[in-house]
Amino acid sequence: MNVTYNWLKEFVDFSETPDELAALLTMLGLEVDSMVKLGEGLDDVVVARVEEKRQHPNADKLSLCKVNNGKEIVDVVCGAQNFTQGATVALAQIGSVLPGDFKIKRSKIRGEESCGMLCSDKELGLADESAGIMVLDADIAPLGTPIFTALGLKDTLLEIGLTPNRSDCLSVIGIARDLAAKLGVQLKPLATTLPEAGEPVGSFIKVTIDNPELCPRYAARYISGCTIAPSPEWLVKRLTSIGIRSINNVVDVTNLIMMELGQPLHAFDCDRLAGKQVVVRTAGEGELFTTLDNQQRTLQATDLVICDAERPVALAGVMGGLNSEIELTTTAILLESAFFKPAAIRKTAKRLGLHTESSHRFERGIDIDSVGRALDRAAALIVELAGGTVAQGALDVYPGNSERTPITFRPERANGLIGITLERSEILDILIRLQCRIAENSDGSVSVIPPHYRLDIEREIDLIEEVARLNGYDKIPATMPIARVVSDRPSRHQEIEKLVRELLVQNSMTEIINFSFTSADAAGKLLLSDDDPRRVAIKLANPLVDEHSVMRTTLLPGLLETTAKNMSFRSLDLKLFEMRRVYFPGEGDNMPHEPLCVVGAISGSRDGDGWSRPQEAVDFYDAKGIVESLLESLEIGGVSWNSEQVESYYHPGKSCSIFAGRDYIGSVGELHPTVQKNFGIEKTVFCFELNFEKLVKLSRTKKTITAPSRFPDSSRDIAMLVPDEVPASKIIDCVKAEKAKEIEQVQIFDVYCGAGVPAGQRSIAIRIRYRSFERTLAEEEIVALHKRVVTNLVNKLPVTVR
Amino acid sequence: MREQLEQLRNGAVQAIAAATTVEQLQEIRITLLGRKGELTALMKGLGSLSAEERPVIGQLVNSVRDEIESALGTALAAAQENLIAERLSSERIDISLPGRRPLRGTKHPISLVIEEVSAIFAGLGFSVAEGPEIEHDWYNFEALNFPPEHPARDMQDTFFVENSMLLRTHTSPVQIRTMLKQKPPVRIIAPGTVYRCDSDATHSPMFHQIEGLMVDTGVTFGDLKGILTVFTNQLFGQKTGVRLRPSYFPFTEPSAEVDIACVICGGKGCRVCKNSGWLEILGAGMVDPEVYRHVQYDAEQISGFAFGMGIERIAMLKYGISDMRLLFENDVRFLRQF
Ligand SMILES: [Zn+2]
């Protein structure tokens, strides 16, 4: 809602400066989003007189002027032709800055000095186009008066961001009312004198309301003998000041009164209304109607329309029709002022995407009580500006009862809930200032009837809010609540989420956050099979863009897109992770599943840039290592790595699925080259993916800690030739299967293939550390045990000890 | 024999004095005192001496040996010290070369802010609650007193999905889910992801909020002011000014926008605060009785407040980020700074 400082002053007296007023309104809940001080910084543009005008010696189209600014005579070169010697003009003096950051400097134009500029309306930001400079009335103001002051344009525009509940403030009077209540002063009275003449209105036109529940009040006046013409300057200026374009005197009056009183009005060309009657009814399904903006609209049975005897002439409360629009030839006017049901108007405006100043107000609710006042005020102004005669009386169809139900209000509850200690009388005074009617009840409570325009006040709590608001939120003391102690530690889920994030960060990984929506073809880019459940995604009904049209079922596409994007910025050493939800449709009426998932991607060199060691690229085992350390920290046991069934998006020879016992918990591997290409990734990437919900389920809180042995150890190495198809893990498992408690640790310390090793085989070396918890092991014991281990290996696996 | 010992001692003293390295000194020790050394050889001659001479010469041998041992010890210590001094003066590295270290991992700034805000509220006795992002209209709107077709719904452009569900437009449905599950006292915060069908320089279709809810007996609007003052002071600094001004949310009444004194200009007015000196950081209010009705709480018996804030906004203010889009571009050159 736009309102100006001077306009408000016409309704209420106050002494606050524009800045103070803005602060006051903001603290009342009428937030001033911005302020535009009209003419600000233009005080150096002043009223001046051209004392002498002669031809520029070196330029045909320029003239040399001696201009009197009230203090001195200055030389100005001017290119405009529309003025004569003696004209009163607007002089932009040296140092002034015109709109568009145009600085006026002393200059030489074709050899002649110019100390300023004579301005046009356009140059002062007062018009879009100007034919020449601004020529003023000789007696407009003393020479040297700032031009905006002289024109009466010095004002401040306040742009107020209203909350949806405050429909009462969609007008100048509404804001003035709240201001008056806050300041404890009275609104200035609105004087309207409406001269009526001739026949009663009923002899010109009839009004019928077919749907009183959608239109509880419809009022109209008939004005004949009008002359449609441009509006006078003051009206144009006033509308322009709040950003409304002038159209003609009649339409401008309806707009002015709407802004002033908040009542949307509509003027029909009465001669174009068939049968001289108005019917308020709902539209026929599929009925066609052309609105003022020359758009044909298809109506529905829920749309409320204003009709003449034959056809719709306006879309009620939204926009008038082309067929009854005020034209230059119009002389008879039907002026409409009505109340339409907010929900109905909202529905129509929303469906047609037609949001007008009028529909905005009706949707939020207007003051049903001031329908008549606005009508009279507008009619009076129309005859003042366009001439004509207002017929006797108004048509005012008001079938319903608008008396509001009283609200029971307990002043002490207001104090208690807000946390203040106002006197009862102070509280009641606030409500009275807000124009509420009050009656004391015998039980100490009060019956309160709020004014009609405060549609947002319906309950006791609404009145309590008014008390807090008018008294001032700044007057409420900040206190600490007295609370009962509750014991609540974070859930296991929350603790593990935090722990996993912490562990991944410790593993040098950078957390990323992608949008939860992805493109419908993401599953295809991952080569997922047609029956993969991740292909069934929840679709957005109204996506903003196609790339964000479904809820993701896997975090991988986002991760891979991020990887590609970072590589394109030459960030090649990447360690990224994301821990967020994925979304699966629920079965039947069940809620969708939103499990948390964890994914990671690594690429580039292992340690980033370094000078001391050769750069080593990360590989599968770096990714696996991160997963291993994570699982170990979460105390997840029974982990197995299965390379037989792997996800489609991995290199089949360099990836595996991860199980804990029988539970599938995730996967790790090198990205499939096709997937890599699908996402436009330049370099090899290794990824892992973990089902967070499974991690929570399987993680154990209890750690088993053993005291270390105090006896010496003894290590033995075994090197063996192992066929490629035998996984290294089998060797470790085989040694561990010995179940000798003297075997403290089994470790692979070398894997080699190449010269000296037959094709199809690898040389694998393991180190076994023997140690007892009870005593120092004798050499013979170790030899015997080690021999048993070696024999077992050779017997159980197709390996050859070297 | 005496002369021989005398000679040996003088020779030894000279040799020790002349020696410069630890190795030379050790050689001297072996030559003189070793198993096959000169003094050892002389001592073998003691047997041929008379019974009177034997103790006298024996004593002399011991004293010569002690003298040599002590001289050797001193010289050896000095030589070792020299050796260390020499090492220390000759060995030099270029300490300006960068240290060898693993890449530093970082949490996303959104996670950092959620953790920090959660920690502050944990200290005030608030526990963390969560809820689904794909919600029913009833939890997201209706139970929060947004009736169907209500203009307040326009404040939140909604993404819809199938089965007449929607992507929650705020974290407030967690309030409803929590109150339906438990009876007062309730003290929770609910961080989470929310969605609005809106995208430009200042709006992202996905963003994050933290919701707060406290319901107990006798909780006042002043208490809300107190809690939020403590919170903003802990998050932005002890002297951060806090201002509540009237606003409107369907699920709170009275409602407030909460501003803090601009952390960029200190309240003097700048571009970030649009010259007002204040920054809007959260919305709050007393829980509306209509909400209690939906969760079967008795508004006459209890009272409480709720608040909600945008995490992106706080992250941007805390870290001086001017463009919200940076938070979701996932450029590691940006993320690794946190
Ligand atoms: Zn600032």
Side-chain angles (χ1 to χ4, degrees):
Chain A
M1 174 69 202
N2 289 353
V3 65
T4 75
Y5 181 80
N6 290 344
W7 202 347
L8 273 177
K9 279 212 153 173
E10 289 178 17
F11 286 85
V12 60
D13 277 323
F14 55 89
S15 54
E16 279 74 10
T17 64
D19 289 303
E20 288 164 352
L21 176 69
L24 194 63
L25 291 174
T26 295
M27 287 308 285
L28 264 179
L30 308 176
E31 186 184 3
V32 175
D33 284 335
S34 67
M35 272 164 72
V36 181
K37 292 181 179 163
L38 304 171
E40 186 180 40
L42 289 174
D43 284 353
D44 285 336
V45 183
V46 298
V47 176
R49 188 166 59 228
V50 180
E51 304 287 11
E52 187 190 309
K53 181 189 177 196
R54 49 192 182 86
Q55 181 62 43
H56 191 293
N58 307 321
D60 288 350
K61 288 185 175 160
L62 299 178
S63 52
L64 299 182
C65 302
K66 297 251 180 238
V67 181
N68 182 350
N69 67 8
K71 275 183 280 176
E72 52 177 344
I73 309 282
V74 295
D75 292 316
V76 177
V77 176
C78 182
Q81 309 294 329
N82 67 322
F83 67 104
T84 56
Q85 195 161 300
T88 304
V89 294
L91 169 69
Q93 307 183 89
I94 307 282
S96 46
V97 182
L98 302 188
D101 211 21
F102 176 40
K103 289 191 186 72
I104 303 298
K105 289 179 254 178
R106 186 183 302 274
S107 61
K108 275 223 160 132
I109 300 172
R110 296 275 183 110
E112 293 293 329
E113 186 155 61
S114 185
C115 303
M117 188 177 88
L118 305 186
C119 302
S120 68
D121 285 70
K122 186 186 175 189
E123 283 154 346
L124 292 175
L126 293 172
D128 293 339
E129 282 308 322
S130 305
I133 62 161
M134 181 188 269
V135 179
L136 303 157
D137 291 341
D139 57 355
I140 182 166
L143 300 182
T145 308
I147 193 75
F148 274 80
T149 309
L151 290 170
L153 288 175
K154 194 87 183 167
D155 202 350
T156 301
L157 173 68
L158 304 162
E159 293 175 3
I160 298 177
L162 286 178
T163 50
N165 58 326
R166 294 305 303 273
S167 60
D168 62 301
C169 285
L170 285 165
S171 59
V172 180
I173 199 173
I175 291 165
R177 260 186 320 236
D178 232 25
L179 193 58
K182 173 71 183 173
L183 297 172
V185 300
Q186 293 293 317
L187 273 190
K188 296 186 192 173
L190 264 185
T192 303
T193 41
L194 178 62
E196 295 172 309
E199 300 280 311
V201 64
S203 60
F204 298 102
I205 195 104
K206 296 256 177 309
V207 172
T208 322
I209 301 177
D210 282 359
N211 296 78
E213 67 289 354
L214 296 184
C215 175
R217 187 173 184 185
Y218 193 97
R221 276 189 181 272
Y222 177 76
I223 308 167
S224 56
C226 300
T227 310
I228 306 302
S231 290
E233 184 117 358
W234 70 264
L235 181 52
V236 176
K237 263 195 241 162
R238 172 134 283 179
L239 291 176
T240 313
S241 73
I242 54 164
I244 295 179
R245 250 193 140 69
S246 170
I247 295 168
N248 59 46
N249 48 7
V250 172
V251 175
D252 285 0
V253 167
T254 60
N255 282 332
L256 180 82
I257 301 300
M258 173 174 68
M259 297 317 290
E260 192 182 72
L261 301 180
Q263 169 70 50
L265 302 164
H266 186 66
F268 297 94
D269 182 337
C270 201
D271 291 331
R272 297 166 75 186
L273 299 182
K276 298 289 173 244
Q277 60 169 313
V278 166
V279 181
V280 185
R281 62 160 170 91
T282 47
E285 191 72 35
E287 195 168 359
L288 294 176
F289 178 64
T290 305
T291 40
L292 272 177
D293 54 1
N294 213 0
Q295 297 283 311
Q296 196 179 57
R297 318 271 176 181
T298 309
L299 305 181
Q300 292 185 355
T302 48
D303 297 325
L304 193 66
V305 284
I306 312 299
C307 301
D308 61 12
E310 296 161 2
R311 55 188 182 157
V313 290
L315 202 48
V318 181
M319 195 179 266
L322 207 55
N323 56 14
S324 57
E325 175 185 33
I326 300 291
E327 294 179 320
L328 276 174
T329 54
T330 302
T331 58
I333 292 162
L334 181 78
L335 190 61
E336 164 202 288
S337 181
F339 182 99
F340 301 115
K341 196 185 168 197
I345 303 304
R346 178 180 156 80
K347 210 167 182 178
T348 300
K350 199 175 177 188
R351 194 190 80 245
L352 298 174
L354 198 54
H355 295 283
T356 60
E357 292 281 355
S358 167
S359 72
H360 188 72
R361 284 168 177 77
F362 280 121
E363 276 179 32
R364 283 163 166 71
I366 57 159
D367 180 6
I368 197 163
D369 246 15
S370 71
V371 163
R373 178 172 67 168
L375 179 67
D376 291 353
R377 200 165 155 79
L381 198 51
I382 286 174
V383 288
E384 190 186 318
L385 301 183
T389 314
V390 183
Q392 298 275 357
L395 290 166
D396 193 348
V397 188
Y398 193 179
N401 173 14
S402 69
E403 192 53 36
R404 301 193 63 173
T405 329
I407 303 163
T408 305
F409 172 73
R410 294 161 290 176
E412 70 284 359
R413 184 157 170 85
N415 272 336
L417 197 71
I418 303 168
I420 49 175
T421 50
L422 290 185
E423 296 295 331
R424 182 184 173 88
S425 59
E426 291 176 292
I427 293 175
L428 297 185
D429 179 55
I430 286 173
L431 300 182
I432 291 163
R433 269 152 51 197
L434 288 166
Q435 308 298 318
C436 294
R437 282 181 289 147
I438 283 175
E440 297 272 355
N441 297 330
S442 57
D443 62 356
S445 70
V446 186
S447 283
V448 180
I449 300 177
H452 275 289
Y453 50 81
R454 289 304 302 271
L455 295 168
D456 58 320
I457 303 180
E458 293 179 304
R459 306 167 296 164
E460 183 183 36
I461 191 71
D462 302 326
L463 292 167
I464 293 174
E465 177 173 59
E466 291 303 297
V467 171
R469 188 173 71 88
L470 265 284
N471 185 53
Y473 279 16
D474 51 337
K475 296 220 183 74
I476 301 168
T479 49
M480 283 306 266
I482 294 162
R484 283 176 270 180
V485 172
V486 284
S487 151
D488 205 353
R489 72 176 277 178
S491 69
R492 185 94 186 109
H493 199 277
Q494 288 162 3
E495 282 180 344
I496 292 182
E497 182 182 343
K498 203 170 170 194
L499 177 62
V500 169
R501 179 175 287 113
E502 217 69 68
L503 289 167
L504 291 173
V505 166
Q506 281 166 21
N507 273 290
S508 306
M509 305 201 78
T510 301
E511 186 183 17
I512 60 170
I513 294 182
N514 278 296
F515 285 157
S516 309
F517 3 79
T518 181
S519 67
D521 67 343
K525 282 163 102 177
L526 288 176
L527 312 178
L528 296 180
S529 66
D530 288 342
D531 58 352
D532 193 294
R534 286 166 292 185
R535 279 195 180 262
V536 187
I538 295 170
K539 291 182 197 68
L540 295 187
N542 53 336
L544 283 173
V545 287
D546 280 350
E547 301 86 80
H548 295 157
S549 60
V550 302
M551 298 304 283
R552 64 184 168 208
T553 55
T554 153
L555 297 177
L556 276 171
L559 177 75
L560 297 177
E561 280 158 21
T562 302
T563 304
K565 195 161 65 182
N566 275 291
M567 285 183 178
S568 75
F569 291 138
R570 311 318 297 158
S571 299
L572 298 175
D573 298 333
L574 293 172
K575 291 185 177 175
L576 306 173
F577 81 96
E578 184 164 12
M579 179 162 53
R580 303 280 293 182
R581 296 185 192 184
V582 295
Y583 310 84
F584 293 100
E587 276 160 38
D589 285 341
N590 290 335
M591 291 287 287
H593 302 296
E594 303 180 13
L596 201 59
C597 269
V598 190
V599 292
I602 58 172
S603 185
S605 74
R606 186 169 295 141
D607 300 307
D609 290 332
W611 51 271
S612 67
R613 284 170 293 185
Q615 296 287 296
E616 260 189 63
V618 293
D619 61 19
F620 172 87
Y621 302 103
D622 291 281
K624 186 183 176 189
I626 293 167
V627 175
E628 282 173 328
S629 72
L630 197 64
L631 298 179
E632 192 181 305
S633 299
L634 296 176
E635 297 283 314
I636 293 176
V639 176
S640 59
W641 311 79
N642 182 330
S643 62
E644 274 130 51
Q645 271 195 322
V646 294
E647 297 278 13
S648 55
Y649 37 81
Y650 291 126
H651 183 312
K654 297 185 180 178
S655 61
C656 63
S657 301
I658 311 165
F659 289 86
R662 272 193 221 150
D663 286 298
Y664 174 80
I665 55 170
S667 59
V668 57
E670 181 179 319
L671 197 63
H672 194 292
T674 308
V675 177
Q676 188 184 329
K677 196 183 92 229
N678 287 348
F679 284 91
I681 297 173
E682 297 168 44
K683 310 266 176 179
T684 311
V685 177
F686 301 88
C687 298
F688 64 82
E689 196 180 18
L690 292 166
N691 180 332
F692 180 85
E693 310 297 334
K694 282 278 168 61
L695 300 186
V696 173
K697 192 188 118 196
L698 296 166
S699 79
R700 280 171 300 200
T701 40
K702 216 170 151 187
K703 280 184 185 285
T704 323
I705 306 294
T706 42
S709 163
R710 298 180 183 283
F711 298 96
D713 69 319
S714 180
S715 291
R716 295 286 188 280
D717 296 348
I718 313 169
M720 57 203 118
L721 287 174
V722 184
D724 284 348
E725 60 274 13
V726 177
S729 60
K730 282 257 189 311
I731 296 166
I732 306 288
D733 291 347
C734 186
V735 175
K736 284 187 174 164
E738 204 63 46
K739 289 210 159 68
K741 56 185 192 305
E742 291 82 7
I743 298 179
E744 187 182 62
Q745 194 187 50
V746 192
Q747 209 185 351
I748 296 174
F749 71 91
D750 188 41
V751 179
Y752 172 77
C753 49
V757 178
Q761 301 205 42
R762 295 169 291 166
S763 164
I764 294 180
I766 63 170
R767 175 163 301 154
I768 304 173
R769 191 155 71 204
Y770 298 98
R771 197 204 302 263
S772 161
F773 275 94
E774 286 123 26
R775 63 211 146 81
T776 303
L777 291 175
E779 181 69 13
E780 309 81 68
E781 284 179 284
I782 297 167
V783 169
L785 185 53
H786 189 66
K787 197 175 166 197
R788 216 168 82 208
V789 168
V790 172
T791 314
N792 210 11
L793 271 173
V794 175
N795 287 345
K796 289 196 174 143
L797 296 172
V799 301
T800 327
V801 174
R802 302 181 89 184
Chain B
M1 188 118 187
R2 230 180 253 271
E3 293 82 61
Q4 277 176 311
L5 275 169
E6 210 50 49
Q7 229 169 12
L8 189 117
R9 185 178 62 192
N10 293 342
V13 169
Q14 274 171 21
I16 290 166
T20 53
T21 69
V22 174
E23 292 75 29
Q24 284 169 342
L25 289 165
Q26 265 153 1
E27 192 130 322
I28 292 168
R29 180 195 297 271
I30 294 163
T31 323
L32 296 176
L33 310 176
R35 213 180 275 188
K36 288 176 185 162
E38 292 172 32
L39 192 66
T40 321
L42 272 177
M43 279 174 71
K44 284 181 184 152
L46 280 179
S48 58
L49 294 177
S50 66
E52 297 86 58
E53 262 183 325
R54 210 177 287 161
V56 181
I57 298 298
Q59 211 170 4
L60 191 62
V61 168
N62 281 340
S63 89
V64 168
R65 189 178 43 215
D66 287 351
E67 206 174 326
I68 293 173
E69 285 273 19
S70 138
L72 266 174
T74 312
L76 208 54
Q80 265 158 350
E81 222 153 276
N82 277 339
L83 201 62
I84 289 169
E86 204 174 298
R87 232 184 94 196
L88 293 182
S89 66
S90 65
E91 293 176 358
R92 278 283 174 277
I93 59 161
D94 178 357
I95 53 86
S96 73
L97 281 167
R100 217 172 274 136
R101 57 173 184 178
L103 275 174
R104 197 174 69 90
T106 49
K107 292 179 194 170
H108 195 282
I110 297 289
S111 299
L112 289 172
V113 172
I114 291 178
E115 281 183 9
E116 187 174 355
V117 172
S118 303
I120 293 172
F121 279 105
L124 291 164
F126 287 67
S127 54
V128 173
E130 286 166 297
E133 291 169 22
I134 302 175
E135 257 298 5
H136 287 292
D137 183 278
W138 191 82
Y139 291 96
N140 193 76
F141 287 126
E142 230 173 305
L144 290 161
N145 195 28
F146 291 79
E149 301 301 317
H150 193 271
R153 290 197 177 201
D154 290 348
M155 293 160 91
Q156 306 187 355
D157 294 318
T158 311
F159 280 115
F160 296 95
V161 300
E162 46 230 36
N163 292 335
S164 66
M165 295 188 80
L166 46 81
L167 303 189
R168 67 175 176 196
T169 55
H170 46 186
T171 39
S172 311
V174 182
Q175 285 184 32
I176 303 298
R177 290 187 173 275
T178 304
M179 287 190 279
L180 283 173
K181 252 188 305 204
Q182 71 179 88
K183 290 289 152 206
V186 173
R187 238 180 302 161
I188 54 144
I189 56 160
T193 312
V194 300
Y195 305 87
R196 291 196 197 164
C197 200
D198 199 355
S199 182
D200 58 42
T202 50
H203 296 92
S204 169
M206 181 188 98
F207 58 103
H208 300 80
Q209 287 186 334
I210 294 188
E211 190 81 6
L213 175 71
M214 171 167 187
V215 181
D216 205 336
T217 47
V219 178
T220 70
F221 196 71
D223 294 340
L224 166 65
K225 205 170 172 180
I227 288 282
L228 292 180
T229 303
V230 167
F231 163 68
T232 47
N233 287 353
Q234 292 199 14
L235 191 66
F236 291 106
Q238 281 309 322
K239 285 188 184 133
T240 310
V242 183
R243 173 177 89 166
L244 271 68
R245 58 188 161 78
S247 189
Y248 169 74
F249 305 105
F251 45 101
T252 53
E253 185 148 13
S255 300
E257 292 283 0
V258 182
D259 299 336
I260 56 164
C262 179
V263 291
I264 313 288
C265 66
K268 287 195 283 290
C270 69
R271 201 176 48 78
V272 175
C273 60
K274 289 194 222 144
N275 281 318
S276 69
W278 294 98
L279 294 168
E280 193 176 309
I281 60 154
L282 49 84
M286 301 302 287
V287 177
D288 194 288
E290 199 58 18
V291 174
Y292 291 137
R293 193 175 65 80
H294 281 113
V295 298
Q296 285 99 47
Y297 278 16
D298 182 355
E300 291 292 314
Q301 298 304 315
I302 46 89
S303 61
F305 57 74
F307 54 85
M309 68 193 95
I311 296 174
E312 281 76 5
R313 171 113 176 118
I314 291 175
M316 289 167 77
L317 291 174
K318 264 191 84 78
Y319 301 116
I321 302 164
S322 55
D323 188 343
M324 169 137 89
R325 285 170 294 200
L326 278 171
L327 291 169
F328 297 110
E329 277 168 1
N330 293 314
D331 188 326
V332 293
R333 296 169 298 173
F334 171 75
L335 294 176
R336 281 181 185 152
Q337 298 172 47
F338 288 93

